Amino acid sequence: MVLSRSATLDGNEAAARVAYRLSEIAAIYPITPSSTMGELADEWSAKGEPNVFGTVPTVVEMQSEGGAAGAVHGALQAGSLAVTFTASQGLLLMIPTLYKIAGELLPFVMHVAARTVATHALSIFGDHSDVMACRQTGAAMLCAANVQEAQDLACIAHVATLRSRVPFVHFFDGFRTSHEIAKITLLDDDDLRALAPLDAMRAHRERALTPDRPVLRGSAQNPDVFFQAREAQNPFHDACPDAVVAAMAAFAARTGRRYEPFRYHGHAAAERVVVVMGSAAETVREVVDHLVAQGERVGLLQVRLYRPFRADWFADALPPQVQRIAVLDRTKEPGAPAEPLCLDVLAALRQAEQAGRARWAATPHVVGGRFGLSGKEFTPAMAAAVFHHLTAARPRDAFTVGITDDVTHRSLPFDAEFELPREGRSEAVFFGLGADGTVGANKNSIKILGEATDLHAQGFFVYDSKKSGAITISHLRFGARHFEAPYLIRRAAFVACHQFGFLDRYDVLEPAAPGATLLLNAPFPADAVWGELPAEVQARIRELGLRVFTIDADAVARDAGVGGRINTIMQVCFFALAGVLPRDEAVQRIKDSIRKSYDKKGDEIVRRNFAAVDATLAGLHELRVPPDGAAGHRRPATVAAVAPDFVQRVTAAMLAGKGDLLPCSAFPPDGTWPTDTARWEKRAIAAAIPVWDPAVCIQCNKCALFCPHAAIRAKVHEHDDDALPSQPWRGKDFAGWRYTIQVAPDDCTGCGLCVQVCPAKDKANPRHKAIEMTPVRDVRDRERGRWDAFLALPEADRAAIAKLDVKGSQLLQPLFEFSGACAGCGETPYLKLLTQLFGDRLLIANATGCSSIYGGNLPTTPYARDAAGRGPAWANSLFEDNAEFGLGMRLSVDALTARANKLLHGLAPLLDADELVGELTAAHERSEAWLAEQRRRVAVLRQRLRALDLTEARELGALADYLVPKSVWLVGGDGWAFDIGYGGLDHVLSMPHDVNVLVLDTEVYSNTGGQASKATPLGAAAKFASRGKAIDKKDLGLMAIQYGHVYVASVAIGAQDAHTVRVLREAEAYPGPSLVIAYSPCIAHGYDLVFGADQQKRAVQSGVWPLFRYDPAHADRDEPPLVVDTPGGSVPVAEYMRNEARFRMVERIDPAGFRRYAAGAQRAATRRMAVYQHIAQLRFPTAAPPSPTPTPTGGDQEA
Amino acid sequence: MDLSTSYLGLALPHPFVAGASPLSDTVERCQHLAAAGIAAIVLRSLFEEQIAQEALAHHQAVFGHTEAHGEARTYLPAADDSVFGPDQYLAHLRAVKRAVPVPVIASLNGHTESGWIDYGKRIEDAGADALELNLYSVATDTGESGAEVEDRAVMIVRQVARSLRIPVAVKLSPFYTSLPHFALRLREAGATGLVLFNRFFEPDLDLEALELHTHMDLSHRSELLLRLRWLALLSGQVDVELAVSGGVHTATDAIKAVMCGAHCVQLVSALLKGGAERTSTLCAEVRRWLQDHGYESLRQMRGSMDHSRSPDPKALERANYMRALQTYRVD
């Protein structure tokens, strides 16, 4: 921890560094955007950094936020100072415990990066819907508006909770404050020590639950006493605001920074006042200053202490001339008379009047408004619009601001061009790729500016939802005077585009101010850059009079050997052009930070980055902007003209970064969203793509199987044309047909996995394979044409494919394509295969996590439809309830199927001239041919039903598709299946229903950044196990096997692809619950995922990941139900471990520890295999409990 | 019977030294070797290029994904103490030095000029008794002549030897056009000892997969013959201490190597197969052989069959092959 007096850091760190030093126990669970707080606490604890009391806090990661809340509750009861960090759904899971903690008057602070609660959709971004769900718990609520406050109010909360015994929820806006980097004045250990109320701490200790002073807490009380006992604690809540004020006063005395529960800012005789909490208060404050300077009588009332809500203090804080009040809530409470803060204000005014405290002559007119849901920008223009609205004759109540509501017409108009003056402040916007290091470099630039100058500095970073080829937009501000400005930059004096391709896809110049500097990273000689710019960009450059500078940063990076990390190169350019520091000083400081960051990572890294820095300025050129001349190419349309209407109207706007402009009417009101839209998003992010050589190909289809993005595909067809390369198909089916492998050049991520797994080599030149990575620039146009021709070919008849093995399965259309998953993702090949095998009758319940993000994060949806319009139907409920959610789908499908069957039997006499009903209700034969025939029968049935003018016939017509079996899959990661959702999963597996569970096991919480789960293996470094996890992973498969009726299998597609195909088909065919645990390489494992398949082989060969199948149906045939498909033991476990940074970093830190882990992992693998082999010998008498049979009505037998 | 010898200025009670191998990877194994009576221990090489490559791969795998997504700053824990550099090697060297009473010889394979010198100094500072320079490289550049390859090696040895106080040995491959001349240049550049020879990973073909597979097998006694020839040719011609490495499995092998001029015998495969305890057996067998054959000491035997003293020096030269051809008869 840096202990200097000022530093640049984000809101999460600002709060965490206080929380850590004033606590003894932290129990956490990762959730965006609060994860960083827990991670930092864990890092500090792992390093042995003490709190201000001289002890090192214990940090534990639990299985859910519910678990974390339980752990802190226990810690508090037993007398420690405990803390946790959370957000959104996590906070909701803590609410039951929060009632308990508050009810028991336990001093405690929960730091919350406030985030949207999932409703019609999940959102990771900030609003107050989560914290507003806590206002009734009895916890105090303190809201910070900026990074400085996130630190300072954290401290005040820790002090006040000890003084008052009321637990605190200290919250600040997720992302906007939690992730904003700002220069703040730090609280050092002495400050905290001086402010910590030691007497209150002692009192807390004395109340500890201990057998030395035994008491009982958590009794069950009856109607005779509960009420009175509940009211007995009133004095504590009554006194709590005073404790906060006292803590604020002590804080001010120590630091000079003054805070109030309600802060008024503005004209002393303001007539119009906006009441708001959180970062928006800073925006309103700026607008108030601007309007007051123009003579308007306006003001801001910022709420910091929201609970307990001192209505009298609130009323006192209002200016006496107030006439109109707008209360802005960053939440939505449908059905309520107003949003919660607005209701509190209304109540406060009324109470003040009733108590005779009102200082106003006439009751102010109060209107409530919503803003900023899910991190929606709240700009000065919007704040100004609210003030302006208060001048209306009849201001609208329950308005919204920031959107266009053309459905219920509640939104306020605002002047999008309204800007506040920004004297003395410089603003810069950078467009980068996630992988090019732009954000990291900009954070570093802020640090340099913050530390090297007296300037105030701020950085905010916008990410898109893709995990590969993701765009990042960095907003940097710096200026001589302090500012907050918690909104994006709209008129920057410096705009940098770090990826030239963005110019074709995004309006990069939108934030450029007239006369701004534009820095381009262009892969062309300087004199050729102008001609490569889109005409729209050229015109805008001329219109705004921009100065344009260009550098081929990729070439500089390549020459210096730093790969695609152009960050330091562009950083040097920024400093050279921005002129905020002398060039030499800037370069030296960049080098200093490189050395600081990478010194321990090896001299070579430092040397190469230095070389890149040194070579940069020679490559930076100013572009001569020709006053006229031929225009460049037109920017391509965002989506093709043939895309469906919804994609044209809605998706395209979102893709172009204009989603903010879409009105309410553009959206389905219930969260329903069309599938099959990823195909219209042509991201073109690969630098090199695979190109097929039919002369070498052996038609194994492994390339198509392994492609994480369904971007390389196989087809059989009857098209023989030079325009589309093909070769004769070598299968017995489709005799005489042709065969083609084709890449989608704009959808490939260039991961190279397909080439790595391709086994076909040119006999004369084995270096040449049947597919080879080729620079995309050389082949893009040709391959685009081929891809279009390939798509135009009809898909193979599913029923005609002879065998659904690896080869045959890849002739099936993938109905999961072009997701935003990481290049080389180890999860998506399983999902793609799943959709190929069962996609046209597939329902997916998807737990929150990576698979729900690349599966369902807008703008586009990768789940697709076939030519008949069928495809996977997908839904995400929550992280923790996915097994139950999927079970519900199964129950519903079964119920509707049963209803269809009942109707069918009832109508049989009217329908059954040719045994149609008998055939429709015959047993499912589990073949594509049978399914095709069943669909044909359903079509015939529908035709006959149309002839019947009966209610039952019409109902059956609507339900007839349920006569074609549906396949229900519960998909999620190990965080869900092993940890937070395990209870539900276990219960669902204990039932007889035909659900299939696919666990995409990356052995960490991948989506939130690699926190350890119970699937993390022994010895692997993960967050919360930075020195290597000391306990081996839970054997989820073995636990499920013990039920006896569950089909259980472990697969690793890269190790044995045929095994995976077989398992998925067996699991689907098994009529009871099935559990498939799939080894999924992940970037959190720390190696180049192009080697994902090789590493899976090592995992299997070493025995760390044994492949097995437990099929209860085997027992009925007097066969052992467990088949161990791989014996392991052919590769040392240590060899497997040494190929991944997650293990290797442990060896680098602690070689002896690594050896112990490796030996332990070897023993564990051997032991596990011995157990499996033992079970695999077991035969069960056929009279043993029978395998479950499908329950058409789907009733829970235990209920 | 006096089996003592000297190597790199170190007085050794007998010639058997543990060569660079996994045998010295842990302090416990080194202690075991020392307890079993090994005369000195050569640690495995510190490979500068490997450190750099792993650092780069780690850097790409770990830092390539940082700050790229809103939900995760990073995907692996921040491990400031996960250091990519020679520190771990040096710490091991220091630990071994503390733990064993026998001399410890470090080994270095540099990649850059500064790496050879810098890492060499750090090894010296960490307490190594001597340094073995592992001059392993495969010449693949058509633009670089044999002379240039040798010049580069000589320059490295000169710079390292000048920079260090501890003795420096050079571990060679047999693939030099004029090994005696090159050996002399190395001596003049400051090398105190030469180790004959390095054994290399050699690629084999997987005919089904059409891939190259590299692996290293344990040495075989047949490999000794090449080493005996060059020991004999260098001994007496170049004033340098010689070590044999590769192919010594029995006392007879060791005796032959010493007779050809070896000051010490580096054992790896023999110890991997027979355990550290093999050291005392070999010592006993050599001692018995010397006694049985009336030698006064090991020193008396050393070099007795080298090029300058062997009764048939021509047998060590190329003429040997010529005569064999001339005497070959079809019938």
Side-chain angles (χ1 to χ4, degrees):
Chain A
M1 243 181 293
V2 180
L3 292 177
S4 59
R5 293 298 295 172
S6 72
T8 53
L9 38 74
D10 66 19
N12 273 335
E13 185 174 357
R17 59 194 300 285
V18 170
Y20 179 83
R21 288 179 293 162
L22 289 175
S23 300
E24 294 164 311
I25 311 270
I28 70 96
Y29 188 75
I31 183 165
T32 307
S34 69
S35 306
T36 308
M37 289 188 275
E39 289 172 13
L40 288 170
D42 177 55
E43 274 177 43
W44 295 328
S45 177
K47 283 185 202 164
E49 296 202 18
N51 56 23
V52 295
F53 316 114
T55 57
V56 177
T58 301
V59 181
V60 294
E61 183 196 24
M62 298 303 292
Q63 88 288 6
S64 72
E65 287 89 351
V72 292
H73 185 200
L76 294 165
Q77 274 292 5
S80 292
L81 300 177
V83 71
T84 191
F85 315 99
T86 193
S88 190
Q89 318 296 141
L91 178 55
L92 266 55
L93 287 177
M94 293 186 173
I95 285 176
T97 310
L98 199 52
Y99 274 98
K100 286 293 298 172
I101 292 172
E104 293 164 357
L105 293 173
L106 294 167
F108 161 65
V109 182
M110 171 193 292
H111 299 271
V112 178
R115 165 184 158 182
T116 308
V117 171
T119 48
H120 65 288
L122 168 148
S123 170
I124 60 171
F125 296 100
D127 66 33
H128 297 167
S129 54
D130 55 357
V131 288
M132 282 303 183
C134 298
R135 63 189 194 278
Q136 73 286 12
T137 58
M141 297 173 68
L142 198 55
C143 178
N146 55 49
V147 179
Q148 182 74 54
E149 287 191 16
Q151 173 196 252
D152 295 351
L153 298 193
C155 172
I156 288 164
H158 278 268
V159 174
T161 192
L162 282 162
R163 286 270 177 242
S164 66
R165 297 185 60 190
V166 174
F168 271 64
V169 174
H170 166 236
F171 67 100
F172 41 87
D173 290 347
F175 278 104
R176 184 61 254 182
T177 303
S178 68
H179 282 54
E180 176 183 310
I181 308 268
K183 186 174 180 177
I184 68 165
T185 305
L186 295 176
L187 291 169
D188 62 26
D189 286 2
D190 288 340
D191 294 328
L192 298 180
R193 215 172 278 121
L195 291 166
L198 298 179
D199 53 338
M201 283 174 56
R202 271 195 301 277
H204 172 58
R205 292 256 199 276
E206 284 162 9
R207 292 189 295 268
L209 206 60
T210 166
D212 295 326
R213 297 185 299 278
V215 292
L216 179 148
R217 294 196 187 115
S219 62
Q221 298 183 351
N222 301 320
D224 56 342
V225 299
F226 183 98
F227 195 171
Q228 305 93 297
R230 189 83 175 104
E231 295 297 321
Q233 66 181 218
N234 290 346
F236 291 89
H237 284 88
D238 292 346
C240 179
D242 291 319
V244 173
V245 169
M248 287 174 165
F251 186 90
R254 174 81 192 180
T255 67
R257 294 193 293 282
R258 299 191 176 281
Y259 296 102
E260 316 83 13
F262 299 107
R263 168 220 203 184
Y264 178 76
H265 179 89
H267 199 290
E271 295 168 352
R272 287 170 286 146
V273 172
V274 167
V275 180
V276 70
M277 275 195 294
S279 61
E282 299 295 351
T283 309
V284 175
R285 185 179 54 78
E286 288 184 358
V287 171
V288 163
D289 287 345
H290 177 67
L291 296 178
V292 168
Q294 293 185 337
E296 298 198 32
R297 293 168 64 173
V298 294
L300 155 74
L301 203 156
Q302 176 189 352
V303 177
R304 287 202 183 97
L305 181 63
Y306 179 57
R307 284 288 182 275
F309 193 92
R310 280 294 295 261
D312 49 345
W313 292 359
F314 177 86
D316 292 349
L318 282 170
Q321 283 81 9
V322 62
Q323 297 171 9
R324 296 267 174 97
I325 297 174
V327 184
L328 296 179
D329 268 275
R330 199 163 198 157
T331 189
K332 179 173 173 65
E333 194 170 312
E339 284 9 279
L341 180 59
C342 187
L343 287 179
D344 291 324
V345 169
L346 285 165
L349 297 186
R350 185 81 178 117
Q351 286 173 355
E353 289 174 355
Q354 288 180 180
R357 295 179 66 101
R359 298 190 295 156
W360 45 83
T363 303
H365 185 99
V366 178
V367 293
R370 290 184 294 278
F371 75 101
L373 296 195
S374 171
K376 172 73 75 188
E377 272 283 276
F378 182 69
T379 63
M382 296 169 196
V386 173
F387 280 114
H388 178 69
H389 184 60
L390 289 180
T391 63
R394 291 175 59 84
R396 161 181 278 286
D397 196 11
F399 65 81
T400 55
V401 65
I403 58 171
T404 303
D405 176 2
D406 56 346
V407 174
T408 51
H409 308 287
R410 293 175 185 175
S411 57
L412 302 185
F414 62 93
D415 175 8
E417 297 304 310
F418 176 87
E419 288 282 325
L420 292 172
R422 303 181 297 279
E423 292 92 4
R425 191 197 296 172
S426 296
E427 298 185 329
V429 175
F430 305 77
F431 292 79
L433 264 184
D436 69 15
T438 296
V439 170
N442 284 325
K443 286 187 175 177
N444 180 249
S445 295
I446 297 167
K447 218 171 209 21
I448 288 174
L449 286 169
E451 290 170 2
T453 69
D454 292 331
L455 297 175
H456 183 64
Q458 176 210 51
F460 189 72
F461 309 93
V462 179
Y463 306 85
D464 78 15
S465 51
K466 297 287 193 289
K467 289 170 184 288
S468 57
I471 186 173
T472 62
I473 308 173
S474 307
H475 296 253
L476 266 60
R477 289 187 174 100
F478 43 95
R481 286 182 17 218
H482 183 88
F483 58 86
E484 291 298 338
Y487 43 84
L488 301 180
I489 293 168
R490 291 172 41 82
R491 294 287 173 268
F494 183 93
V495 174
C497 181
H498 291 189
Q499 300 292 328
F500 199 76
F502 288 168
L503 295 168
D504 271 341
R505 293 171 52 202
Y506 305 107
D507 190 358
V508 169
L509 297 187
E510 188 184 26
T517 297
L518 173 64
L519 169 64
L520 298 173
N521 170 25
F524 311 105
D527 54 4
V529 170
W530 180 260
E532 298 288 341
L533 293 172
E536 294 87 342
V537 173
Q538 291 174 334
R540 192 86 177 126
I541 287 172
R542 288 189 179 116
E543 185 186 327
L544 293 171
L546 305 184
R547 286 186 73 188
V548 185
F549 292 83
T550 178
I551 182 171
D552 186 351
D554 293 279
V556 175
R558 205 164 40 243
D559 292 347
V562 294
R565 302 288 280 188
I566 57 167
N567 49 359
T568 47
I569 297 161
M570 300 307 288
Q571 190 184 9
V572 171
C573 293
F574 164 67
F575 276 109
L577 297 173
V580 61
L581 277 182
R583 275 192 188 191
D584 290 346
E585 184 186 348
V587 166
Q588 190 52 49
R589 285 185 177 274
I590 290 171
K591 285 189 172 179
D592 289 347
S593 60
I594 289 170
R595 184 167 288 290
K596 192 175 168 193
S597 301
Y598 302 141
D599 203 20
K600 290 179 176 174
K601 304 306 168 201
D603 299 339
E604 190 63 15
I605 310 281
V606 173
R607 191 188 65 72
R608 291 183 183 207
N609 275 284
F610 277 16
V613 168
D614 290 337
T616 294
L617 292 178
L620 179 64
H621 305 284
E622 180 161 11
L623 208 65
R624 195 185 67 80
V625 178
D628 46 34
H633 64 280
R634 303 291 301 179
R635 187 187 279 152
T638 306
V639 297
V642 294
D645 175 64
F646 184 86
V647 172
Q648 298 282 1
R649 283 189 299 109
V650 179
T651 309
M654 297 164 75
L655 288 173
K658 307 284 188 189
D660 284 321
L661 303 179
L662 290 168
C664 293
S665 64
F667 302 96
D670 60 356
T672 303
W673 206 260
T675 59
D676 203 19
T677 59
R679 63 160 78 194
W680 303 109
E681 182 180 14
K682 295 302 177 191
R683 300 202 295 147
I685 59 173
I689 59 172
V691 171
W692 184 50
D693 182 352
V696 181
C697 182
I698 57 169
Q699 300 187 357
C700 68
N701 281 351
K702 284 181 188 289
C703 54
L705 178 76
F706 280 90
C707 177
H709 293 80
I712 186 164
R713 299 188 188 179
K715 255 186 191 175
V716 285
H717 54 86
E718 297 178 286
H719 180 86
D720 190 1
D721 183 338
D722 289 346
L724 184 67
S726 66
Q727 61 172 210
W729 169 245
R730 295 178 198 166
K732 288 177 185 160
D733 43 4
F734 307 104
W737 285 32
R738 310 285 299 173
Y739 169 85
T740 295
I741 292 280
Q742 179 59 45
V743 70
D746 294 324
D747 302 302
C748 172
T749 65
C751 72
L753 197 52
C754 54
V755 174
Q756 185 69 16
V757 299
C758 175
K761 292 171 182 166
D762 184 344
K763 296 281 186 293
N765 176 17
R767 192 180 298 179
H768 173 58
K769 288 182 163 187
I771 40 174
E772 270 194 354
M773 296 306 283
T774 311
V776 71
R777 208 176 297 162
D778 299 344
V779 295
R780 176 174 279 143
D781 290 342
R782 186 191 75 191
E783 294 299 316
R784 279 177 175 164
R786 288 178 175 176
W787 174 246
D788 289 343
F790 181 87
L791 280 185
L793 298 172
E795 296 291 339
D797 176 2
R798 299 176 67 90
I801 296 169
K803 196 175 176 189
L804 288 182
D805 52 9
V806 168
K807 183 173 174 177
S809 67
Q810 295 314 300
L811 299 179
L812 299 170
Q813 183 183 1
L815 296 174
F816 176 77
E817 60 182 12
F818 318 141
S819 75
C822 297
C825 175
E827 296 186 354
T828 47
Y830 295 108
L831 287 173
K832 178 168 65 76
L833 178 61
L834 195 67
T835 68
Q836 288 174 302
L837 294 172
F838 322 116
D840 57 358
R841 55 196 184 91
L842 178 62
L843 277 91
I844 295 178
N846 207 130
T848 309
C850 272
S851 55
S852 75
I853 296 303
Y854 60 64
N857 204 322
L858 301 183
T860 57
T861 46
Y863 286 97
R865 299 174 184 212
D866 65 14
R870 297 190 191 93
W874 182 96
N876 160 241
S877 174
L878 298 172
F879 194 9
E880 60 270 26
D881 72 346
N882 190 56
E884 302 90 321
F885 184 52
L887 174 73
M889 289 184 186
R890 176 80 265 170
L891 298 178
S892 187
V893 166
D894 288 347
L896 295 175
T897 306
R899 178 68 184 158
N901 274 306
K902 183 175 170 54
L903 290 165
L904 184 62
H905 285 295
L907 292 167
L910 302 174
L911 295 167
D912 198 12
D914 54 359
E915 300 297 322
L916 178 66
V917 172
E919 289 171 6
L920 274 167
T921 53
H924 179 189
E925 290 179 13
R926 305 283 172 192
S927 74
E928 289 295 328
W930 183 89
L931 287 164
E933 188 56 27
Q934 185 77 341
R935 290 195 195 283
R936 189 195 62 76
R937 287 190 285 263
V938 167
V940 172
L941 171 66
R942 278 223 171 86
Q943 208 170 18
R944 293 188 189 178
L945 289 169
R946 276 196 284 272
L948 302 178
D949 186 19
L950 292 170
T951 306
E952 291 82 356
R954 283 188 287 275
E955 188 184 355
L956 179 56
L959 292 174
D961 281 334
Y962 286 94
L963 298 171
V964 179
K966 304 290 182 277
S967 188
V968 177
W969 285 76
L970 290 43
V971 173
D974 47 289
W976 161 63
F978 284 66
D979 286 356
I980 195 169
Y982 176 70
L985 175 63
D986 176 55
H987 191 82
V988 169
L989 290 178
S990 78
M991 299 165 82
H993 304 285
D994 185 9
V995 294
N996 308 289
V997 182
L998 176 61
V999 180
L1000 301 164
D1001 187 359
T1002 61
E1003 307 191 318
V1004 280
Y1005 290 84
S1006 297
N1007 192 50
T1008 47
Q1011 295 84 5
S1013 76
K1014 283 199 286 296
T1016 304
L1018 182 67
K1023 289 171 184 167
F1024 301 98
S1026 58
R1027 297 300 173 110
K1029 183 153 167 280
I1031 307 291
D1032 200 10
K1033 74 184 291 172
K1034 174 162 92 176
D1035 194 338
L1036 183 65
L1038 192 60
M1039 294 167 88
I1041 283 173
Q1042 56 84 24
Y1043 276 118
H1045 74 284
V1046 183
Y1047 177 94
V1048 185
S1050 160
V1051 299
I1053 196 169
Q1056 284 198 16
D1057 45 18
H1059 180 262
T1060 300
V1061 176
R1062 177 177 180 172
V1063 161
L1064 289 185
R1065 297 187 64 209
E1066 286 183 357
E1068 205 281 333
Y1070 180 69
S1074 304
L1075 172 67
V1076 180
I1077 307 167
Y1079 184 104
S1080 303
C1082 174
I1083 56 171
H1085 297 175
Y1087 65 97
D1088 186 342
L1089 290 183
V1090 75
F1091 302 114
D1094 303 279
Q1095 191 59 2
Q1096 287 185 64
K1097 286 192 183 82
R1098 283 190 197 95
V1100 169
Q1101 289 166 355
S1102 69
V1104 159
W1105 192 275
L1107 304 186
F1108 63 82
R1109 289 168 291 131
Y1110 182 93
D1111 189 343
H1114 287 193
D1116 299 342
R1117 301 197 293 267
D1118 196 23
E1119 294 170 6
L1122 180 64
V1123 176
V1124 180
D1125 296 297
T1126 54
S1130 60
V1131 167
V1133 170
E1135 185 180 319
Y1136 158 74
M1137 294 169 75
R1138 284 206 168 93
N1139 277 287
E1140 300 186 10
R1142 59 174 169 157
F1143 298 110
R1144 187 80 174 107
M1145 65 199 301
V1146 175
E1147 186 172 26
R1148 296 221 67 93
I1149 297 167
D1150 177 10
F1154 174 83
R1155 281 194 295 275
R1156 278 195 306 278
Y1157 284 139
Q1162 186 73 57
R1163 278 195 303 276
T1166 307
R1167 187 179 62 237
R1168 194 159 58 241
M1169 183 55 68
V1171 171
Y1172 290 170
Q1173 297 286 16
H1174 177 71
I1175 298 173
Q1177 303 301 314
L1178 300 177
R1179 291 171 190 275
F1180 301 105
T1182 49
S1187 297
T1189 51
T1191 50
T1193 55
D1196 180 348
Q1197 305 302 306
E1198 297 167 333
Chain B
M1 177 59 65
D2 178 12
L3 297 186
S4 68
T5 182
S6 68
Y7 177 60
L8 303 180
L10 307 167
L12 306 181
H14 60 78
F16 294 107
V17 169
S21 76
L23 288 165
S24 55
D25 278 359
T26 67
V27 172
E28 294 74 26
R29 286 184 197 164
C30 290
Q31 287 173 318
H32 187 56
L33 285 168
I38 205 77
I41 296 170
V42 185
L43 298 185
R44 269 218 267 199
S45 281
L46 171 63
F47 281 94
E48 183 192 4
E49 187 181 11
Q50 182 181 314
I51 290 171
Q53 288 301 323
E54 184 173 4
L56 288 169
H58 178 89
H59 185 73
Q60 182 57 31
V62 175
F63 288 87
H65 303 287
T66 57
E67 309 282 8
H69 196 258
E71 299 211 57
R73 287 178 309 153
T74 58
Y75 289 88
L76 281 160
D80 293 343
D81 39 5
S82 173
V83 176
F84 287 87
D87 305 41
Q88 213 165 49
Y89 185 90
L90 299 174
H92 179 58
L93 169 58
R94 278 190 287 268
V96 173
K97 268 302 291 178
R98 278 196 302 272
V100 299
V102 300
V104 178
I105 302 166
S107 175
L108 172 64
N109 179 283
H111 180 57
T112 61
E113 199 175 310
S114 61
W116 281 105
I117 297 169
D118 180 42
Y119 285 13
K121 280 183 183 167
R122 293 207 235 178
I123 283 171
E124 179 177 85
D125 292 345
D129 294 293
L131 176 61
E132 187 175 286
L133 298 180
N134 184 358
L135 275 180
Y136 165 53
S137 67
V138 176
T140 56
D141 181 358
T142 55
E144 190 179 40
S145 70
E148 286 167 328
V149 171
E150 291 186 6
D151 287 348
R152 186 156 43 85
V154 168
M155 182 193 72
I156 289 166
V157 171
R158 181 176 296 119
Q159 290 185 339
V160 175
R162 275 183 190 167
S163 306
L164 304 188
R165 297 181 305 277
I166 56 174
V168 170
V170 180
K171 193 169 189 176
L172 291 170
S173 83
F175 308 117
Y176 290 93
T177 309
S178 175
L179 195 56
H181 175 258
F182 182 49
L184 186 62
R185 291 187 67 198
L186 293 173
R187 174 70 195 108
E188 289 168 357
T192 309
L194 296 179
V195 184
L196 310 184
F197 291 113
N198 220 331
R199 295 175 73 244
F200 302 121
F201 279 91
E202 289 175 313
D204 195 0
L205 301 188
D206 179 335
L207 294 179
E208 294 304 318
L210 295 182
E211 286 172 357
L212 294 172
H213 286 291
T214 55
H215 63 281
M216 173 114 76
D217 293 326
L218 295 181
S219 73
H220 188 266
R221 291 186 65 197
S222 61
E223 294 173 55
L224 182 63
L225 300 180
L226 175 75
R227 288 155 174 81
L228 292 181
R229 164 185 291 203
W230 290 107
L231 283 169
L233 285 170
L234 296 182
S235 172
Q237 289 202 82
V238 183
D239 181 20
V240 68
E241 292 171 340
L242 297 170
V244 64
S245 174
V248 175
H249 286 255
T250 66
T252 312
D253 297 337
I255 290 162
K256 288 176 183 174
V258 174
M259 281 189 173
C260 287
H263 287 66
C264 87
V265 174
Q266 294 193 358
L267 301 173
V268 173
S269 299
L271 298 180
L272 286 170
K273 282 195 285 194
E277 294 70 21
R278 184 87 179 110
T279 313
S280 54
T281 316
L282 287 169
C283 282
E285 287 172 1
V286 169
R287 190 176 290 115
R288 193 177 313 119
W289 192 93
L290 290 172
Q291 283 166 350
D292 290 351
H293 292 78
Y295 283 84
E296 294 168 4
S297 69
L298 186 88
R299 287 175 198 271
Q300 183 190 14
M301 181 175 74
R302 186 168 62 226
S304 59
M305 289 293 285
D306 72 10
H307 186 258
S308 62
R309 284 178 270 178
S310 143
D312 183 13
K314 291 291 180 191
L316 296 165
E317 298 173 8
R318 185 168 174 272
N320 182 2
Y321 178 58
M322 299 294 286
R323 199 162 63 218
L325 279 182
Q326 287 160 6
T327 53
Y328 179 73
R329 295 165 67 100
V330 177
D331 55 345

